[in-house]
Amino acid sequence: PTIEKISKLIKVSEKNIYDGIKPVEKREYYKMSAAQKRMYIMNQMDKDSTTYNMSGVLKLTGNLDRMKIENTFKELINRHESLRTSFTKVEGELVQIVKELSEVEFKIDYREGNEEKIQDIVKAFIRPFDLSKAPLLKVGLIKIREEEHILITDMHHIISDGVSIGLVIEEFTKLYAGEKLEPLNIQYKDYAVWQNELFKSGKIENQEKYWLERFAGEIPVLNMHTDYQRPSVQSHKGASKNLVIDHEIKTALDKIAKETGSTLYMVMLSALNILLWKYTGQEDIVIGSPIAGRHHNDLTNIVGMFVNTLAMRNYPSSDKAFREFLKEVKENSLKAYDNQDMQFEELVEKLPVERDVSRNPLFDIMFVLQNTGVSEKNLNLEGLEISTFDLESEIAKFDMTITAIEIDKTISLNINYAVNLYKESTIERLAKHFTNILEEISNDIDIKIKDIDILSEQEKHQLLVEFNDTDLDYPKDKTIHQLLEEQVKKTPDNTAIVYEHKSLTYKELDEKTNSLARVLRNKGVKPDTIVGIIVERSIDMIIGIIGILKAGGAYLPMSSDYPKDRIKYMLEDSKTNILLTQSKLLEDISFEGQIIDLEDEEVYIEDKTNIENINKSN
């Protein structure tokens, strides 16, 4: 590029849809921005949740002036209206109310404690906010010893975002040092009014059209295998795992980005798509990604909630080379950035997506790249030595959030995950697989996706050597249920099957499968009779399969996740007249034959005579 070429590009470029944001006249209340509405609705769904609390903990060593810290926070609250804003409904409309400094009560929560109990003290400090009461900012100060304190800050996401946190820290250090800050030309409420008028004007209709076209047709649902059954209502209980991507790989990824005219974000997003393709086999994948939402220059120094979420849809497939796929991801990303004003919730409302309270709409996995994180070098208070204090996170907003942070010459990777879905060992393995993909593409940018190897040497040895060592003698003239009967006689009280917190001994399993076989025989099951079975992963599944075999029939397994039309076709095509299932799945199944509920204990009432006859005939 040259100055001449850039000037020509500016002349032919489309004019930006944004005008300058002007301060609005003082009102009793103002409409919420789109992002604030999203946060408010999420809060109303679970008022006792701390899922959207933004907390930070710092360790302060030295001669601390408690009143000076409190007064500095008051200066910040006075400077930024967001820090003294509350939220409510007026005549059915979601609004924000900006208070004066004198109308809000702010005081640092001061207490004394010891370092061993800091995590417990911090957890107790982070409590749900009442959005109708400003300020939505709490500050705690814990004295550990004479010149050692812990500073806790907690804000609700409705008034803040990641950039705001950095801004608050930067301005706090300047105000604490006695510096004077330039006055702000506008406040967040001015942006909210401007944004609502922008939506009303129809200037973003083209952006809406882009997103609706992007999600035309069938919208994919990520079919990731989970360690535990997905709960009926999404749980936000989480944990995190960390690892570091070394300097050598980071340098290679930066080189790929430079060579392809892309960014590190695009390279890593492409790699994540490949990881999910390897795990699911799906060639249509949606990953969520936050965007700062501060593309208007007037918003640089404003504290508030500007973040929007982009649903990044890409199409990895086996025969594409990584270079080719990265080019697609780059183009899709740039188009998404150009259309970032269409709010995520607005998009979800306009798409034919059935709301599922067990998962997030459109995507389950979020990817974040941070290169503007707050480092300890930015923390500088007069007379105090400051260090960050790691806060254990127990919240997961999504099934999984993968955050990559550029630190010096490495990348710190944090994987936050829902503990109701995944085990820690599964996340550790996934993290290693992701790192392996990054290493593979670092070595060869033209490698085909199908040739990218995600397995470690240890895993390859397990698969090719350990798991393949299956040359064992077994009785080839006996059926599975005959072998079970023999094992019952040998070890009746040993555990035969375990699922989560439930288990059965060999004797209990034998009794239940015998009872089920009796019921099936009474319903006409005989050799060559096909019996359908639709159950979720459970002990019921094994009881059902063995019970069918003991009755002499053949089982036809169907997943409860199959489309209803597919299940209906399989049942009709197999001409089965009997279906085994679970009570929680009954309402989703259309079947005119005989249904047996495996969760109904009456199925397992013993009939010794019939059981003996069944065993003999088998």
Side-chain angles (χ1 to χ4, degrees):
T2 63
I3 296 296
E4 183 183 7
K5 288 179 181 177
I6 290 173
S7 66
K8 288 179 180 178
L9 177 66
I10 291 171
K11 285 181 181 179
V12 300
S13 294
E14 289 185 18
K15 192 173 181 181
N16 199 293
I17 63 172
Y18 308 111
D19 301 317
I21 301 175
K22 303 290 192 298
V24 298
E25 73 282 1
K26 188 172 181 179
R27 304 175 188 173
E28 186 180 348
Y29 53 82
Y30 310 84
K31 287 184 179 180
M32 292 187 202
S33 70
Q36 286 175 329
K37 288 176 185 174
R38 185 168 75 246
M39 285 293 107
Y40 186 86
I41 291 168
M42 296 296 289
N43 179 264
Q44 294 302 107
M45 291 170 65
D46 187 1
K47 291 185 178 182
D48 296 326
S49 172
T50 57
T51 303
Y52 291 95
N53 284 41
M54 303 184 73
S55 311
V57 183
L58 296 175
K59 187 175 183 179
L60 311 179
T61 306
N63 186 18
L64 180 143
D65 186 337
R66 190 188 353 155
M67 287 308 300
K68 188 175 181 181
I69 285 181
E70 187 169 299
N71 289 333
T72 303
F73 272 109
K74 285 181 179 178
E75 283 189 71
L76 277 174
I77 293 170
N78 187 46
R79 175 175 170 80
H80 293 282
E81 290 180 353
S82 293
L83 301 180
R84 44 189 168 89
T85 297
S86 61
F87 302 85
T88 189
K89 276 186 181 181
V90 175
E91 297 179 356
E93 186 173 53
L94 300 178
V95 300
Q96 54 184 313
I97 300 172
V98 179
K99 307 278 189 179
E100 296 297 329
L101 181 62
S102 58
E103 298 177 285
V104 299
E105 186 178 331
F106 174 81
K107 191 172 182 65
I108 286 181
D109 182 359
Y110 178 80
R111 63 184 68 184
E112 297 183 0
N114 59 65
E115 199 155 1
E116 289 73 30
K117 294 184 178 179
I118 290 300
Q119 289 287 355
D120 294 333
I121 294 172
V122 171
K123 287 176 186 176
F125 180 82
I126 299 170
R127 301 184 300 275
F129 281 101
D130 179 351
L131 299 189
S132 66
K133 295 179 181 177
L136 300 178
L137 162 69
K138 293 183 294 187
V139 179
L141 191 64
I142 306 165
K143 182 179 179 182
I144 304 300
R145 50 185 66 91
E146 194 55 43
E147 292 199 349
E148 196 169 311
H149 294 75
I150 299 293
L151 181 71
I152 314 168
T153 59
D154 192 23
M155 285 189 280
H156 197 280
H157 208 342
I158 198 168
I159 63 162
S160 182
D161 56 18
V163 175
S164 297
I165 296 292
L167 184 61
V168 165
I169 290 173
E170 180 187 344
E171 292 191 349
F172 183 90
T173 56
K174 289 180 178 178
L175 290 171
Y176 189 85
E179 290 186 38
K180 295 294 181 185
L181 302 179
E182 289 291 323
L184 299 172
N185 295 323
I186 61 169
Q187 294 282 348
Y188 188 88
K189 70 174 190 305
D190 305 316
Y191 160 77
V193 171
W194 169 84
Q195 187 194 60
N196 277 288
E197 288 174 355
L198 177 69
F199 292 158
K200 203 173 178 181
S201 69
K203 288 183 178 179
I204 64 166
E205 283 181 0
N206 287 337
Q207 295 193 27
E208 181 180 315
K209 182 181 177 184
Y210 166 80
W211 286 110
L212 292 179
E213 288 177 355
R214 189 79 184 140
F215 283 90
E218 186 176 353
I219 297 172
V221 176
L222 191 66
N223 188 26
M224 279 283 282
H225 173 75
T226 58
D227 296 309
Y228 307 111
Q229 182 180 321
R230 183 178 292 276
S232 56
V233 177
Q234 187 176 14
S235 167
H236 292 293
K237 188 176 180 181
S240 294
K241 291 300 294 181
N242 296 293
L243 74 154
V244 175
I245 297 170
D246 64 34
H247 167 62
E248 189 176 341
I249 296 177
K250 165 74 161 61
T251 302
L253 297 178
D254 286 336
K255 184 179 178 183
I256 289 173
K258 186 174 182 180
E259 181 184 333
T260 58
S262 58
T263 63
L264 180 61
Y265 165 81
M266 295 169 187
V267 174
M268 295 192 72
L269 179 63
S270 302
L272 180 56
N273 270 275
I274 292 169
L275 176 70
L276 298 180
W277 175 80
K278 294 279 186 181
Y279 270 57
T280 66
Q282 292 174 248
E283 297 185 346
D284 185 356
I285 292 174
V286 182
I287 297 172
S289 207
I291 192 158
R294 293 174 182 257
H295 41 287
H296 196 295
N297 192 54
D298 293 345
L299 307 176
T300 307
N301 297 319
I302 305 298
V303 170
M305 173 54 176
F306 294 93
V307 175
N308 189 19
T309 301
L310 302 180
M312 311 295 271
R313 188 176 189 179
N314 288 289
Y315 303 91
S317 62
S318 59
D319 289 326
K320 288 180 182 176
F322 179 76
R323 185 192 295 272
E324 175 191 356
F325 180 56
L326 174 58
K327 184 180 179 183
E328 291 177 11
V329 172
K330 171 189 172 182
E331 291 171 356
N332 291 336
S333 298
L334 292 174
K335 288 175 184 174
Y337 301 155
D338 285 341
N339 294 279
Q340 63 178 280
D341 293 293
M342 175 71 177
Q343 297 295 302
F344 178 74
E345 284 298 323
E346 293 284 329
L347 172 62
V348 172
E349 289 297 326
K350 292 181 183 294
L351 290 173
V353 179
E354 285 188 27
R355 285 299 181 117
D356 181 351
V357 293
S358 71
R359 65 203 312 163
N360 197 65
L362 290 190
F363 64 87
D364 296 318
I365 293 180
M366 175 79 83
F367 175 65
V368 186
L369 176 69
Q370 294 180 357
N371 50 18
T372 56
V374 178
S375 76
E376 294 184 21
K377 296 175 183 176
N378 303 129
L379 305 174
N380 182 24
L381 291 182
E382 184 182 5
L384 291 171
E385 181 183 323
I386 301 175
S387 58
T388 54
F389 188 93
D390 290 333
L391 183 61
E392 295 175 3
S393 175
E394 295 182 351
I395 290 172
K397 295 174 187 174
F398 306 95
D399 288 5
M400 203 181 298
T401 300
I402 300 174
T403 303
I405 307 172
E406 290 186 76
I407 299 177
D408 297 326
K409 297 179 180 179
T410 64
I411 299 173
S412 173
L413 208 62
N414 174 274
I415 303 181
N416 174 253
Y417 62 97
V419 295
N420 286 35
L421 296 177
Y422 298 104
K423 295 177 182 177
E424 182 180 4
S425 57
T426 300
I427 299 302
E428 286 178 347
R429 186 166 59 250
L430 180 141
K432 289 174 184 174
H433 290 165
F434 187 39
T435 306
N436 290 345
I437 291 174
L438 295 175
E439 189 170 359
E440 289 271 292
I441 62 176
S442 298
N443 295 329
D444 182 6
I445 189 177
D446 292 304
I447 187 172
K448 285 188 180 289
I449 290 177
K450 66 181 179 183
D451 295 329
I452 294 175
D453 192 353
I454 69 172
L455 300 179
S456 65
E457 291 302 320
Q458 181 186 356
E459 287 173 320
K460 289 177 191 174
H461 184 269
Q462 274 186 312
L463 288 172
L464 301 175
V465 180
E466 294 176 26
F467 293 169
N468 246 5
D469 186 13
T470 58
D471 186 16
L472 296 172
D473 287 329
Y474 66 94
K476 298 178 176 62
D477 57 341
K478 294 180 181 179
T479 63
I480 291 173
H481 47 281
Q482 283 174 332
L483 294 173
L484 174 62
E485 297 289 345
E486 290 181 4
Q487 192 64 39
V488 172
K489 291 175 183 176
K490 292 176 186 175
T491 57
D493 298 320
N494 282 14
T495 300
I497 180 171
V498 176
Y499 178 71
E500 293 186 343
H501 306 300
K502 298 178 181 179
S503 65
L504 290 180
T505 63
Y506 280 102
K507 182 182 178 183
E508 290 169 334
L509 179 60
D510 187 48
E511 289 173 349
K512 282 183 175 287
T513 53
N514 282 341
S515 297
L516 177 60
R518 170 181 54 79
V519 172
L520 293 171
R521 278 290 184 87
N522 290 338
K523 291 182 180 293
V525 173
K526 54 185 184 296
D528 298 329
T529 301
I530 295 176
V531 180
I533 179 169
I534 304 176
V535 292
E536 293 178 339
R537 174 186 282 203
S538 61
I539 288 178
D540 292 335
M541 178 190 291
I542 305 302
I543 292 172
I545 291 171
I546 297 176
I548 294 169
L549 295 176
K550 281 190 172 187
Y555 66 90
L556 172 65
M558 290 163 280
S559 171
S560 58
D561 293 331
Y562 286 173
K564 292 180 182 179
D565 288 345
R566 183 177 178 184
I567 292 175
K568 184 180 178 183
Y569 171 79
M570 291 177 74
L571 289 169
E572 291 174 354
D573 186 59
S574 63
K575 297 182 172 58
T576 182
N577 186 45
I578 301 175
L579 176 65
L580 306 187
T581 186
Q582 295 164 306
S583 52
K584 54 189 161 192
L585 304 176
L586 284 171
E587 61 183 56
D588 293 327
I589 298 172
S590 176
F591 181 62
E592 295 179 358
Q594 302 176 78
I595 293 178
I596 296 175
D597 180 2
L598 292 174
E599 293 178 324
D600 183 357
E601 285 302 318
E602 290 189 12
V603 172
Y604 306 110
I605 295 174
E606 299 288 1
D607 182 332
K608 303 294 183 185
T609 305
N610 277 336
I611 291 170
E612 191 174 329
N613 292 335
I614 289 170
N615 285 339
K616 285 178 180 178
S617 64
N618 278 337

